[in-house]
């Protein structure tokens, strides 16, 4: 089984499921809005409904404003609201205070990240693989704790980057940005299965990793503003990352 305790968009877990790399994939997310999407698609079977809503939605500033200001919506409508909010937000960031796209790609404004056919196709693909997926709407640390003694589990851990110098960015990017980083490292030290973790490349994170005798590698990446930077891979043995491995 493959578990992604801080799923967000769930790209790694979904890739594992789509490529049949595990018998089962569990996505875990605490955020109320993102959780509504996964709950609606995976647990409640609203995938086809969401795909049809996306294909038929007329994405105008007026319709977007009305949708995003709607309150007290049922689950499937909250899921649709979250998908639209994500696509019209700058960098897909929905945290409080984050703004909407203004000019966007090629001057397309709000619609610059709105690809309804692609989104609908992805959701239908997830819907077809529901038997390989499960979703937990809750605390990723609690799920790691509950599964730490199972040797057949692999965790992919991509927590909110709020350790050390990443705190300011974490608060900007995530509504649920506070995390007990020491507890996370202590838990992963005790899991019987394997794990791979990604973190901001920060001296405090490196110190946590060294204290637990974990292996680390700095890898190149780009942020939402396309600035080149590095993040840290953390695991028990990352020799497979090296170019000459094998």
């Amino acid at each position: 089984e493959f578990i992604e305790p801080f799923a967000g968009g769930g790209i790694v877990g979904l890739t594992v499921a789509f490529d049949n790399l595990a018998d089962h994939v569990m996505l875990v997310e605490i955020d109320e809005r993102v959780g509504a999407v996964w709950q609606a698609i995976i647990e409640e079977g609203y995938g086809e409904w969401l795909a049809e809503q996306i294909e038929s939605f007329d994405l105008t500033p007026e319709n977007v404003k009305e949708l995003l200001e709607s309150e007290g919506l049922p689950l499937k409508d909250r899921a649709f609201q979250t998908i639209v909010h994500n696509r019209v937000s700058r960098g897909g960031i929905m945290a409080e205070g984050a703004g909407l796209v203004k000019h966007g790609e090629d001057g397309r404004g709000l619609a610059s990240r709105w690809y309804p056919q692609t989104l609908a196709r992805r959701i239908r693909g997830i819907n077809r693989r529901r038997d390989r997926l499960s979703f937990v709407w809750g605390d990723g640390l609690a799920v790691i704790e509950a599964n730490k003694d199972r040797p057949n589990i692999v965790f992919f851990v991509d927590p909110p980057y709020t350790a050390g110098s990443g705190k300011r960015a974490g608060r900007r990017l995530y509504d649920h940005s506070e995390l007990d980083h020491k507890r996370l490292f202590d838990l992963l030290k005790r899991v019987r299965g394997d794990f791979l973790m990604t973190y901001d490349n920060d001296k405090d994170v490196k110190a946590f990793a060294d204290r637990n005798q974990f292996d680390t590698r700095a890898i190149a990446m780009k942020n939402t503003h396309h600035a080149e930077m590095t993040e840290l891979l953390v695991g028990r043995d990352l020799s497979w990352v090296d170019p000459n491995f094998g």
Side-chain angles (χ1 to χ4, degrees):
E1 185 170 357
F2 185 93
I3 299 179
E4 193 169 351
F6 306 95
I11 184 61
V12 174
L14 292 178
T15 299
V16 170
F18 274 55
D19 290 350
N20 299 316
L21 300 177
D23 294 328
H24 188 81
V25 172
M26 178 190 295
L27 303 180
V28 184
E29 178 56 52
I30 196 171
D31 184 88
E32 180 180 345
R33 290 170 298 181
V34 178
V37 177
W38 293 127
Q39 182 73 17
I41 298 173
I42 296 173
E43 300 297 330
E44 304 297 333
Y46 287 123
E48 181 58 33
W49 182 88
L50 282 169
E52 292 175 357
Q53 288 293 111
I54 289 167
E55 289 172 330
S56 63
F57 185 63
D58 184 12
L59 194 136
T60 65
E62 295 75 19
N63 288 343
V64 168
K65 183 176 186 292
E66 180 181 0
L67 177 63
L68 298 191
E69 291 178 352
S70 299
E71 299 180 355
L73 299 174
L75 176 69
K76 60 183 173 55
D77 294 283
R78 279 188 287 141
F80 177 63
Q81 182 187 58
T82 299
I83 292 169
V84 173
H85 192 181
N86 171 264
R87 304 315 296 176
V88 300
S89 298
R90 283 201 297 267
I93 300 168
M94 298 183 294
E96 187 176 353
L100 302 183
V101 171
K102 290 183 179 179
H103 302 292
E105 300 171 5
D106 300 322
R108 294 177 60 219
L110 281 179
S112 66
R113 298 178 62 247
W114 182 248
Y115 302 102
Q117 286 74 33
T118 300
L119 290 169
R121 184 170 64 250
R122 288 175 181 170
I123 289 173
R124 288 187 173 108
I126 297 168
N127 195 47
R128 287 193 296 270
R129 292 164 175 82
R130 284 177 59 213
D131 61 331
R132 305 181 70 89
L133 296 164
S134 61
F135 173 66
V136 173
W137 206 341
D139 180 10
L141 293 178
V143 171
I144 296 174
E145 177 81 56
N147 291 278
K148 69 181 186 302
D149 295 324
R150 297 175 60 193
N152 62 331
I153 299 288
V154 171
F155 297 92
F156 174 71
V157 184
D158 183 28
Y161 292 176
T162 58
S165 61
K167 285 186 177 180
R168 185 182 302 170
R171 294 192 185 105
R172 186 180 71 250
L173 296 173
Y174 312 102
D175 283 334
H176 297 269
S177 63
E178 296 303 321
L179 181 71
D180 187 339
H181 298 274
K182 181 179 182 301
R183 183 186 172 206
L184 174 59
F185 275 84
D186 289 345
L187 279 172
L188 292 174
K189 181 73 172 179
R190 293 185 285 132
V191 300
R192 291 187 62 195
D194 204 356
F195 73 90
L196 177 66
M197 181 159 56
T198 61
Y199 248 109
D200 44 332
N201 191 0
D202 180 273
K203 61 181 179 60
D204 293 337
V205 175
K206 187 68 164 59
F208 278 134
D210 291 344
R211 194 175 305 142
N212 287 280
Q213 299 181 305
F214 291 155
D215 201 1
T216 60
R217 295 288 189 281
I219 60 169
M221 62 167 290
K222 290 185 179 181
N223 64 14
T224 56
H225 302 290
H226 304 290
E228 293 185 0
M229 53 192 299
T230 61
E231 68 177 4
L232 206 64
L233 291 183
V234 182
R236 290 200 177 101
D237 179 5
L238 298 180
S239 58
W240 53 270
V241 177
D242 298 330
N244 297 323
F245 177 70

